[in-house]
């Protein structure tokens, strides 16, 4: 018997998931969003590159050849990010997508905390006509008190929490959950972790196997060692800076 049944049964038949649709242009994001909808996803997270700048969630400027070995600092930034062009661009993306995709699909977006409070307020208010499912991480958890000010200024749904490391950053009353990140699992991952959840028609479905439902093949896992040294999980966190050299976390 699956463990969840021993703990009280099934709450829902599956967890609604969102698909990642990104691109270097509005049309490319639209194309990827349509592909998600054709696969049955009802929620789509959309990210677009800001022309001329680095970014997260969508490919921006690629570093110059050999730049990975260069020393990065205030006088030698590599990946340049400026929030103002990004804040102006995102509402235009949603205007395009709502016109092209209609109202039946739920759209999400992740800010990745790289804007100021006043920019977050302006962005949230500008996005209200496009009825987002949520806007994720408009501010970092260390600015938790600013979320109260942001909520007073906008009706755009807000999401945050994955960066929280202290109980004071958590909300005492929140809905069970809204949507699950639907990145799926690589073929190799499914082989190593036999029984991992499946994604079908936009839902993540748990296995009905006994116990936790997942078995780890340690011998097969040994064939996929984690390479030594960076970048193992690197999205320009250490190197992205403002044009004036200010570090962007």
């Amino acid at each position: 018997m699956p463990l969840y049944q021993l703990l009280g049964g099934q709450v829902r038949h599956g967890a609604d998931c969102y698909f990642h649709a990104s691109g270097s242009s509005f049309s490319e994001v639209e194309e990827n969003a349509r592909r998600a909808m054709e696969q049955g996803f009802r929620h789509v997270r959309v990210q677009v590159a800001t022309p001329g700048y680095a970014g997260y969630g969508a490919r921006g400027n690629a570093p110059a050849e050999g730049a990975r070995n260069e020393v990065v600092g205030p006088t030698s930034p590599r990946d340049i990010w400026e929030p103002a062009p990004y804040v102006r661009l995102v509402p235009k993306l949603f205007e395009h997508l709502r016109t092209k995709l209609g109202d039946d699909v739920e759209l999400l977006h992740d800010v990745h905390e790289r804007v100021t409070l006043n920019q977050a307020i302006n962005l949230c208010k500008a996005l209200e006509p496009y009825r987002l499912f949520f806007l994720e991480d408009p501010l970092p958890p260390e600015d938790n008190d600013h979320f109260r000010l942001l909520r007073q200024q906008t009706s755009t749904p807000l999401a945050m929490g994955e960066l929280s490391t202290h109980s004071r950053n958590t909300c005492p009353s929140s809905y069970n959950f809204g949507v699950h990140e639907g990145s799926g699992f690589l073929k190799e991952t499914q082989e190593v972790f036999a029984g991992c959840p499946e994604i079908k028609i936009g839902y993540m479905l748990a296995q009905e196997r006994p116990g936790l439902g997942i078995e780890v093949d340690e011998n097969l896992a040994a064939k996929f060692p984690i390479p030594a040294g960076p970048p193992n999980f690197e999205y320009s966190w250490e190197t992205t800076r403002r044009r004036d050299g200010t570090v962007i976390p």
Side-chain angles (χ1 to χ4, degrees):
M1 177 179 291
L3 181 61
Y4 73 84
Q5 291 185 5
L6 294 174
L7 295 177
Q10 188 167 340
V11 176
R12 54 175 65 82
H13 78 274
D16 230 330
C17 294
Y18 66 81
F19 183 93
H20 291 259
S22 62
S24 59
S25 66
F26 292 178
S27 59
E28 186 177 359
V29 177
E30 176 193 344
E31 179 182 350
N32 289 327
R34 289 188 185 279
R35 181 162 59 90
M37 296 166 68
E38 291 169 359
Q39 295 176 26
F41 285 90
R42 293 158 295 280
H43 302 75
V44 182
R45 194 191 84 163
V46 295
Q47 310 284 143
V48 69
T50 304
Y53 296 96
Y56 180 93
R59 292 294 181 185
N61 288 343
E65 190 69 26
R68 291 287 176 187
N69 298 321
E70 295 176 2
V71 176
V72 177
T75 60
S76 180
R78 191 191 74 212
D79 299 308
I80 304 299
W81 163 261
E82 288 292 334
Y86 159 80
V87 170
R88 293 192 293 266
L89 181 68
V90 171
K92 297 176 183 177
L93 169 67
F94 277 87
E95 180 182 21
H96 173 89
L97 293 176
R98 277 297 177 216
T99 299
K100 298 294 185 179
L101 303 178
D103 293 328
D104 291 337
V105 61
E106 298 283 0
L107 297 178
L108 303 69
H109 180 74
D110 194 341
V111 179
H112 297 111
E113 320 91 41
R114 292 181 171 181
V115 298
T116 63
L117 173 59
N118 66 308
Q119 288 171 328
I121 292 173
N122 290 335
L123 177 59
C124 287
K125 292 177 71 68
L127 290 173
E128 286 177 357
Y130 310 113
R131 302 169 299 283
L132 274 66
F133 185 75
F134 64 61
L135 186 73
E136 184 176 353
D137 289 341
L139 300 167
E142 55 264 30
D143 292 339
N144 199 46
D145 291 343
H146 288 172
F147 276 92
R148 184 180 300 275
L149 299 174
L150 183 58
R151 170 50 65 227
Q152 293 171 351
Q153 296 290 327
T154 181
S155 61
T156 296
L158 307 175
M160 66 91 62
E162 68 179 2
L163 300 176
S164 298
T165 58
H166 193 280
S167 59
R168 67 180 176 83
N169 295 135
T170 61
C171 178
S173 60
S174 61
Y175 186 66
N176 195 352
F177 78 83
V179 67
H180 195 288
E181 186 170 7
S183 57
F185 300 94
L186 297 174
K187 176 177 177 294
E188 293 81 2
T189 303
Q190 297 178 48
E191 292 174 350
V192 173
F193 301 95
C196 60
E198 298 179 285
I199 295 181
K200 294 182 178 179
I201 321 177
Y203 287 107
M204 183 171 287
L205 306 175
Q207 294 285 352
E208 295 296 320
R209 300 184 181 190
L212 294 176
I214 300 176
E215 298 292 335
V216 181
D217 188 329
E218 296 185 7
N219 292 327
L220 184 56
K223 297 181 180 180
F224 302 97
I226 298 176
N232 294 325
F233 184 80
E234 203 279 324
Y235 291 105
S236 302
W237 292 116
E238 309 94 346
T239 58
T240 301
R241 291 177 177 266
R242 298 281 299 273
R243 189 181 289 108
D244 63 4
T246 303
V247 67
I248 300 295

